[in-house]
Amino acid sequence: MGAHRAQLLTAAPQGTAYDPGADAVVQAELAADAAAAAVREAGLREAARIAARADELQALRELGTLEQTEPRDGDEAVRGELTRRAGGYVQADVDGWLAHALAAHLGHYRDPAAREAAAGLLTPPVLVHAALLAELARLVPGADVGQLAFAARLATNETEAAGALAAFLTCARPEGC
């Protein structure tokens, strides 16, 4: 910026005062700084939102009421925060909760666009678990989540095989693949 200002002052008539408000380069730099600050602030607000939701889901998990809670937009990022904080023992519970919600179209997963977006935000085992749950629920409509706990183990330990099973069950329906 200093070289630019020197060029402006050299080219200006004698006695002209430098006005940063009229300097397009300075104004562009100020606008870029303001935009960068707004992006940083938005990032901080989003991190705070994720942390608060992670606290909420962790408390619900500890109370044993996580399964009664519907997921919200952004809970996929909260999953990552919970995993970072507490590791795998929380991840399995949250993954199962998200898979069930995705399979049953609960919360924001009622929206097909949210389900489609989840495909890019959740891990393959969670997505396969959801697909397997959805197909098993079609086969045995009255089955509860506890009866289908094996689906989580299959999806986690044998993701590819569980995905193939979900696809096979989809094709076994009268309407087919």
Side-chain angles (χ1 to χ4, degrees), residues 53 56-71 75 82 90-98 100:
R53 180 67 170 162
E56 179 184 354
L57 293 180
Q58 179 64 32
L60 291 169
R61 182 188 163 276
E62 290 169 3
L63 292 170
T65 58
L66 179 62
E67 300 303 327
Q68 299 164 15
T69 306
E70 290 193 352
D75 279 351
L82 285 168
V90 170
Q91 182 179 340
D93 292 348
V94 173
D95 283 357
W97 171 68
L98 284 169
H100 175 257

Side-chain angles (χ1 to χ4, degrees), residues 140-163:
V140 185
D144 71 18
V145 176
Q147 291 176 298
L148 302 176
F150 66 90
R153 291 190 306 276
L154 283 174
T156 301
N157 297 319
E158 294 290 338
T159 304
E160 220 173 281

